[in-house]
Amino acid sequence: MDNFANTNFLVKTKKGKPPADESSGGVYKSRNLKKHQLQNTWTLWFLEYDASKSWEDLLSEVDSFSTVEDFWRTYYRIKPPSKPKSGCDYMLFKKGIRPMWEDPSNIKGGRWLNVVDNTSKADLDIIWLDVMLCLIGEACDHCDQICGASIRIRRKVKKVSIWTNNGKDEEAILEIGHKLCELVRLGSSYTLQYQGHMEVFMGSELMYKLKVENGVVTTS
Protein backbone atom coordinates (compact mmCIF):
# COMPACT_ATOMS: atom_id res chain seq x y z
CA MET A 1 0.00 0.00 0.00
CA ASP A 2 2.99 2.31 0.34
CA ASN A 3 2.88 2.95 -3.41
CA PHE A 4 -0.56 4.52 -3.15
CA ALA A 5 -1.36 8.06 -2.12
CA ASN A 6 -3.24 8.52 1.15
CA THR A 7 -5.62 11.29 2.10
CA ASN A 8 -3.23 13.14 4.41
CA PHE A 9 -0.63 13.17 1.66
CA LEU A 10 -3.14 14.56 -0.82
CA VAL A 11 -4.44 17.27 1.51
CA LYS A 12 -1.24 18.42 3.15
CA THR A 13 1.10 18.45 0.16
CA LYS A 14 -1.32 18.79 -2.78
CA LYS A 15 1.28 16.77 -4.65
CA GLY A 16 0.72 17.10 -8.35
CA LYS A 17 -0.85 20.55 -8.20
CA PRO A 18 0.02 22.09 -11.60
CA PRO A 19 2.19 25.20 -11.80
CA ALA A 20 0.41 28.54 -12.11
CA ASP A 21 1.00 28.77 -15.86
CA GLU A 22 -0.69 25.42 -16.47
CA SER A 23 -3.71 25.93 -14.21
CA SER A 24 -4.39 29.23 -15.95
CA GLY A 25 -4.33 27.64 -19.37
CA GLY A 26 -0.66 27.96 -20.23
CA VAL A 27 1.52 25.22 -21.71
CA TYR A 28 3.42 23.07 -19.23
CA LYS A 29 6.16 20.82 -20.54
CA SER A 30 6.66 17.49 -18.78
CA ARG A 31 9.86 17.21 -16.79
CA ASN A 32 9.53 13.44 -16.47
CA LEU A 33 8.60 13.80 -12.81
CA LYS A 34 7.65 10.64 -10.97
CA LYS A 35 3.88 10.32 -10.60
CA HIS A 36 2.14 9.00 -7.49
CA GLN A 37 -0.25 6.17 -8.30
CA LEU A 38 -3.75 6.04 -6.87
CA GLN A 39 -5.23 2.73 -5.80
CA ASN A 40 -8.03 3.09 -8.37
CA THR A 41 -8.70 4.89 -11.62
CA TRP A 42 -11.47 7.47 -11.28
CA THR A 43 -13.76 9.14 -13.81
CA LEU A 44 -15.21 12.62 -13.41
CA TRP A 45 -18.63 13.20 -14.97
CA PHE A 46 -20.64 16.35 -15.60
CA LEU A 47 -24.37 16.78 -16.14
CA GLU A 48 -26.39 19.82 -17.17
CA TYR A 49 -30.12 19.31 -16.79
CA ASP A 50 -32.23 19.38 -19.93
CA ALA A 51 -35.84 18.16 -19.71
CA SER A 52 -35.78 17.11 -23.37
CA LYS A 53 -33.01 14.52 -22.84
CA SER A 54 -32.75 11.24 -20.96
CA TRP A 55 -30.47 10.91 -17.93
CA GLU A 56 -27.92 8.85 -19.87
CA ASP A 57 -27.86 11.38 -22.70
CA LEU A 58 -27.19 14.16 -20.21
CA LEU A 59 -24.09 12.48 -18.78
CA SER A 60 -20.79 13.79 -20.07
CA GLU A 61 -17.46 12.13 -19.23
CA VAL A 62 -14.95 14.85 -18.37
CA ASP A 63 -11.76 12.92 -17.66
CA SER A 64 -10.27 9.82 -16.02
CA PHE A 65 -7.15 9.76 -13.86
CA SER A 66 -5.12 7.26 -11.88
CA THR A 67 -2.37 9.41 -10.33
CA VAL A 68 -2.29 12.24 -7.80
CA GLU A 69 -0.77 14.58 -10.36
CA ASP A 70 -3.46 13.89 -12.94
CA PHE A 71 -6.18 14.43 -10.33
CA TRP A 72 -4.91 17.93 -9.54
CA ARG A 73 -4.46 18.65 -13.23
CA THR A 74 -8.11 17.78 -13.84
CA TYR A 75 -9.28 19.63 -10.71
CA TYR A 76 -7.65 22.92 -11.69
CA ARG A 77 -8.90 22.77 -15.28
CA ILE A 78 -12.62 22.62 -14.46
CA LYS A 79 -15.00 25.02 -12.77
CA PRO A 80 -15.61 24.35 -9.04
CA PRO A 81 -19.19 23.55 -7.94
CA SER A 82 -19.81 27.19 -7.01
CA LYS A 83 -19.38 28.31 -10.64
CA PRO A 84 -21.73 26.25 -12.89
CA LYS A 85 -25.30 27.45 -13.19
CA SER A 86 -28.13 25.83 -11.28
CA GLY A 87 -29.17 22.48 -12.71
CA CYS A 88 -25.69 20.99 -13.00
CA ASP A 89 -24.09 17.99 -11.30
CA TYR A 90 -20.53 16.76 -10.85
CA MET A 91 -19.95 13.06 -10.22
CA LEU A 92 -16.75 11.20 -9.41
CA PHE A 93 -16.91 7.40 -9.73
CA LYS A 94 -14.49 4.52 -10.02
CA LYS A 95 -13.76 3.88 -13.68
CA GLY A 96 -16.26 1.47 -15.19
CA ILE A 97 -19.12 2.49 -12.85
CA ARG A 98 -21.68 4.81 -14.36
CA PRO A 99 -23.16 7.42 -11.96
CA MET A 100 -26.68 6.02 -11.96
CA TRP A 101 -28.35 3.69 -9.47
CA GLU A 102 -29.22 1.18 -12.20
CA ASP A 103 -25.54 0.39 -12.79
CA PRO A 104 -24.78 -3.20 -11.60
CA SER A 105 -22.20 -1.89 -9.10
CA ASN A 106 -24.71 0.52 -7.56
CA ILE A 107 -28.09 -1.16 -7.67
CA LYS A 108 -27.72 -3.13 -4.42
CA GLY A 109 -26.13 -0.23 -2.58
CA GLY A 110 -27.14 3.18 -1.34
CA ARG A 111 -25.82 6.62 -0.50
CA TRP A 112 -24.90 8.91 2.34
CA LEU A 113 -26.54 12.28 1.69
CA ASN A 114 -25.89 15.75 3.07
CA VAL A 115 -28.07 18.71 2.13
CA VAL A 116 -25.91 21.84 1.89
CA ASP A 117 -28.33 24.77 1.97
CA ASN A 118 -26.79 27.48 4.12
CA THR A 119 -23.16 27.77 3.16
CA SER A 120 -20.98 30.09 1.15
CA LYS A 121 -19.78 29.26 -2.34
CA ALA A 122 -16.23 28.85 -1.02
CA ASP A 123 -17.43 26.35 1.61
CA LEU A 124 -19.29 24.38 -1.06
CA ASP A 125 -16.07 24.03 -3.07
CA ILE A 126 -14.17 22.92 0.05
CA ILE A 127 -16.79 20.27 0.87
CA TRP A 128 -16.65 18.79 -2.63
CA LEU A 129 -12.85 18.79 -2.62
CA ASP A 130 -12.79 17.05 0.78
CA VAL A 131 -15.18 14.39 -0.50
CA MET A 132 -13.08 13.74 -3.60
CA LEU A 133 -9.89 13.49 -1.54
CA CYS A 134 -11.54 10.99 0.79
CA LEU A 135 -12.47 8.86 -2.19
CA ILE A 136 -9.27 8.88 -4.19
CA GLY A 137 -7.13 8.71 -1.03
CA GLU A 138 -9.02 5.57 0.07
CA ALA A 139 -9.56 7.11 3.52
CA CYS A 140 -12.21 4.62 4.69
CA ASP A 141 -11.51 1.13 6.01
CA HIS A 142 -14.26 -0.13 3.69
CA CYS A 143 -13.17 1.91 0.68
CA ASP A 144 -13.70 -1.17 -1.51
CA GLN A 145 -17.44 -0.62 -1.01
CA ILE A 146 -17.37 2.99 -2.19
CA CYS A 147 -18.55 3.47 -5.79
CA GLY A 148 -18.31 7.24 -6.07
CA ALA A 149 -19.80 10.57 -5.08
CA SER A 150 -21.86 13.38 -6.56
CA ILE A 151 -22.73 17.00 -5.93
CA ARG A 152 -26.07 18.32 -7.19
CA ILE A 153 -26.22 22.07 -7.74
CA ARG A 154 -29.65 23.66 -7.54
CA ARG A 155 -30.76 27.25 -6.88
CA LYS A 156 -32.09 26.76 -3.34
CA VAL A 157 -30.22 23.68 -2.22
CA LYS A 158 -27.09 21.67 -2.94
CA LYS A 159 -26.76 17.96 -2.19
CA VAL A 160 -23.58 15.97 -1.69
CA SER A 161 -23.80 12.18 -1.71
CA ILE A 162 -21.38 9.27 -1.37
CA TRP A 163 -22.46 6.01 -2.97
CA THR A 164 -21.71 2.51 -1.67
CA ASN A 165 -22.24 -0.88 -3.29
CA ASN A 166 -23.78 -2.85 -0.39
CA GLY A 167 -26.84 -1.45 1.36
CA LYS A 168 -26.95 -4.43 3.75
CA ASP A 169 -23.48 -4.08 5.31
CA GLU A 170 -24.25 -2.01 8.40
CA GLU A 171 -20.68 -2.05 9.71
CA ALA A 172 -19.26 -0.70 6.45
CA ILE A 173 -22.03 1.87 5.97
CA LEU A 174 -21.57 3.34 9.45
CA GLU A 175 -17.76 3.30 9.25
CA ILE A 176 -17.89 5.24 6.00
CA GLY A 177 -20.42 7.68 7.44
CA HIS A 178 -18.34 8.36 10.55
CA LYS A 179 -15.20 8.80 8.44
CA LEU A 180 -17.00 11.42 6.35
CA CYS A 181 -17.97 13.26 9.54
CA GLU A 182 -14.33 13.18 10.57
CA LEU A 183 -12.72 14.32 7.32
CA VAL A 184 -15.23 16.40 5.35
CA ARG A 185 -15.64 20.01 6.53
CA LEU A 186 -19.44 20.10 6.58
CA GLY A 187 -19.71 22.50 9.51
CA SER A 188 -20.23 22.20 13.26
CA SER A 189 -23.86 21.03 13.08
CA TYR A 190 -25.39 18.96 10.27
CA THR A 191 -27.04 15.64 9.41
CA LEU A 192 -25.91 12.77 7.20
CA GLN A 193 -28.55 10.28 6.16
CA TYR A 194 -28.21 6.92 4.43
CA GLN A 195 -30.77 5.19 2.26
CA GLY A 196 -30.57 2.29 -0.18
CA HIS A 197 -31.18 3.10 -3.83
CA MET A 198 -34.05 0.64 -4.04
CA GLU A 199 -35.51 2.03 -0.81
CA VAL A 200 -35.47 5.51 -2.35
CA PHE A 201 -37.23 4.13 -5.41
CA MET A 202 -39.87 2.43 -3.23
CA GLY A 203 -40.31 5.46 -0.97
CA SER A 204 -39.07 3.63 2.15
CA GLU A 205 -37.79 5.30 5.29
CA LEU A 206 -34.17 6.21 5.96
CA MET A 207 -31.91 3.37 7.07
CA TYR A 208 -29.32 5.32 9.08
CA LYS A 209 -28.82 8.89 10.27
CA LEU A 210 -25.77 10.59 11.74
CA LYS A 211 -26.46 13.86 13.53
CA VAL A 212 -23.55 16.16 14.33
CA GLU A 213 -23.90 18.90 16.94
CA ASN A 214 -20.78 20.94 17.70
CA GLY A 215 -18.59 18.12 16.48
CA VAL A 216 -20.30 15.36 18.49
CA VAL A 217 -21.72 12.53 16.34
CA THR A 218 -24.82 10.52 17.34
CA THR A 219 -26.33 7.62 15.40
CA SER A 220 -30.01 6.95 14.87
Side-chain angles (χ1 to χ4, degrees):
M1 293 293 293
D2 291 341
N3 293 326
F4 299 123
N6 61 41
T7 306
N8 288 335
F9 174 75
L10 288 163
V11 174
K12 291 180 180 179
T13 68
K14 289 197 174 181
K15 193 71 177 181
K17 176 180 176 180
D21 60 342
E22 183 188 14
S23 60
S24 61
V27 177
Y28 172 62
K29 295 182 179 179
S30 171
R31 302 189 182 115
N32 295 319
L33 298 177
K34 178 183 176 181
K35 291 189 175 183
H36 298 78
Q37 194 72 30
L38 298 173
Q39 188 167 335
N40 286 285
T41 300
W42 297 85
T43 300
L44 181 68
W45 302 78
F46 179 74
L47 178 150
E48 184 173 353
Y49 181 72
D50 183 340
S52 67
K53 296 182 180 180
S54 69
W55 178 264
E56 288 193 70
D57 290 336
L58 291 172
L59 286 174
S60 175
E61 188 173 330
V62 178
D63 199 6
S64 293
F65 53 84
S66 59
T67 68
V68 179
E69 288 74 12
D70 289 338
F71 163 73
W72 287 116
R73 186 168 291 109
T74 298
Y75 176 78
Y76 282 101
R77 284 178 173 172
I78 64 172
K79 294 179 180 179
S82 61
K83 298 297 184 183
K85 64 182 181 180
S86 177
C88 295
D89 298 356
Y90 277 124
M91 293 148 285
L92 181 67
F93 277 72
K94 289 175 180 174
K95 188 174 179 62
I97 302 177
R98 291 179 67 80
M100 48 198 306
W101 70 267
E102 298 94 337
D103 187 278
S105 295
N106 297 324
I107 195 166
K108 294 182 179 181
R111 63 177 184 171
W112 279 109
L113 175 68
N114 175 249
V115 178
V116 186
D117 55 0
N118 293 308
T119 189
S120 70
K121 290 183 177 180
D123 289 339
L124 182 67
D125 295 341
I126 289 171
I127 290 169
W128 178 235
L129 176 59
D130 284 352
V131 168
M132 291 193 294
L133 293 177
C134 284
L135 265 60
I136 69 172
E138 313 290 340
C140 301
D141 294 340
H142 296 86
C143 56
D144 58 308
Q145 293 198 25
I146 292 180
C147 299
S150 68
I151 182 165
R152 174 165 289 189
I153 306 157
R154 300 297 182 265
R155 185 171 61 87
K156 292 184 178 181
V157 68
K158 284 76 177 172
K159 295 181 179 180
V160 178
S161 58
I162 294 83
W163 295 32
T164 72
N165 62 17
N166 187 348
K168 304 298 183 183
D169 192 335
E170 179 177 356
E171 178 183 349
I173 290 169
L174 290 176
E175 185 272 325
I176 291 170
H178 280 275
K179 183 63 71 173
L180 293 171
C181 292
E182 176 185 342
L183 295 179
V184 180
R185 289 168 282 183
L186 291 166
S188 60
S189 300
Y190 58 90
T191 299
L192 277 179
Q193 55 191 36
Y194 186 92
Q195 193 169 21
H197 296 309
M198 290 303 298
E199 282 73 17
V200 173
F201 182 74
M202 297 296 292
S204 302
E205 295 182 357
L206 297 175
M207 298 172 67
Y208 305 101
K209 181 184 290 186
L210 296 179
K211 189 174 183 178
V212 179
E213 290 287 348
N214 298 317
V216 178
V217 183
T218 57
T219 305
S220 60

